[in-house]
Amino acid sequence: MYRYFLQPQLDVLNNSLIGYEMLIRQRVDDKWVLPKNFESIPIDIQADLMTKTAKKLMLKIGSVSFNVNQSQFIDPTIAKAIVAAQKQIYPVNLVLEVTEEVTDDHITNRQIIDQVHYFDQRGIQLSLDDVGTGLNTYKHLEPILSYASEIKFAMQNFRQEGRTAEIPENLKFWKKIADQYKLRLILEGVENQDEADMADSLEIDLCQGWFYGKPHLFKLDGDKFD
């Protein structure tokens, strides 16, 4: 069984909720765990779950974010399911977060850009997740930045890689890129007041992290578990 855990995304300047990131979890032995292989989850299950979850949130938020890797982003079967889900949840906007995960497939910038156009025509936005780590380096992303709507800077990725000291300079760089390309910038992984103050000093208004709210289970009608 799968369910989404939701983590709030806030405009801290206006103290308002702008949306949720939907983080899929699997129930195993009465515990909620990260799926071992996200690509093994059938897309129809994910799309149906996303639709049911977003429909219950319709009057509360403007957008929901949904994670895919590059292979999933260009997959036509997945694309059709995502478009069908967007129609179901309108006027909530669906934002596809393309992660830094390295896949076996060699995917060209042209494939990504063509798919951005396909989704854009159907009201679905591209977010480039985890910028500055993994596959999502500036050199790799530069050709497609002008086609995106949003970038996300995940401080937790830098911590996991032992690069905590690099966060301030890297964040300044990506803030400059966001301003240059007129992109939304969401700062992820904000865990304490000092990090919130750093965001404020860099005039980063859109934030996400345990400091503002931990991911929480979103129950659907009929669910009996905790």
Side-chain angles (χ1 to χ4, degrees), residues 38-212:
F38 288 92
E39 291 193 52
S40 69
I41 307 170
I43 189 57
D44 57 335
I45 289 178
Q46 294 188 63
D48 180 62
L49 184 57
M50 176 176 58
T51 301
K52 289 178 178 177
T53 303
K55 276 186 170 180
K56 289 194 68 175
L57 294 168
M58 275 178 138
L59 299 179
K60 301 177 182 179
I61 54 165
S63 68
V64 289
S65 298
F66 179 76
N67 288 280
V68 292
N69 61 34
Q70 287 197 356
S71 295
Q72 293 169 323
F73 184 74
I74 66 168
D75 184 287
T77 302
I78 293 176
K80 288 180 182 178
I82 288 171
V83 169
Q86 173 64 88
K87 290 179 180 177
Q88 291 270 337
I89 67 174
Y90 182 82
V92 177
N93 292 322
L94 181 57
V95 180
L96 289 183
E97 295 188 13
V98 180
T99 68
E100 89 291 5
E101 180 186 357
V102 178
T103 64
D104 293 335
D105 302 325
H106 177 68
I107 297 165
T108 66
N109 290 327
R110 175 45 54 191
Q111 287 175 289
I112 294 289
I113 292 166
D114 287 346
Q115 196 72 344
V116 171
H117 289 317
Y118 172 84
F119 281 128
D120 192 52
Q121 291 167 1
R122 291 157 178 83
I124 299 169
Q125 297 182 358
L126 167 65
S127 172
L128 299 171
D129 199 7
D130 308 315
V131 294
T133 58
L135 189 67
N136 284 354
T137 62
Y138 174 72
K139 182 178 179 180
H140 181 77
L141 295 178
E142 194 275 333
I144 58 176
L145 280 168
S146 60
Y147 299 92
S149 298
E150 172 185 288
I151 57 175
K152 297 187 74 177
F153 185 97
M155 290 196 288
Q156 67 271 24
N157 288 16
F158 282 82
R159 297 187 195 108
Q160 289 167 5
E161 294 178 2
R163 299 169 58 198
T164 302
E166 299 177 28
I167 288 176
E169 284 306 311
N170 275 270
L171 185 53
K172 288 176 186 176
F173 171 78
W174 285 104
K175 173 64 164 66
K176 180 180 176 182
I177 295 300
D179 291 343
Q180 178 183 339
Y181 286 89
K182 296 180 172 57
L183 304 171
R184 293 191 305 274
L185 169 61
I186 296 182
L187 178 60
E188 271 189 285
V190 180
E191 295 185 350
N192 54 52
Q193 186 65 56
D194 286 344
E195 292 173 349
D197 291 342
M198 177 177 64
D200 184 56
S201 70
L202 293 174
E203 298 182 338
I204 297 172
D205 299 330
L206 306 182
C207 295
Q208 176 182 340
W210 283 28
F211 183 67
Y212 305 105

Side-chain angles (χ1 to χ4, degrees), residues 3-6 53 56-57 216-220 223:
R3 286 293 182 270
Y4 279 112
F5 278 59
L6 306 182
T53 303
K56 289 194 68 175
L57 294 168
H216 62 276
L217 170 65
F218 189 80
K219 292 184 179 181
L220 299 177
D223 285 347

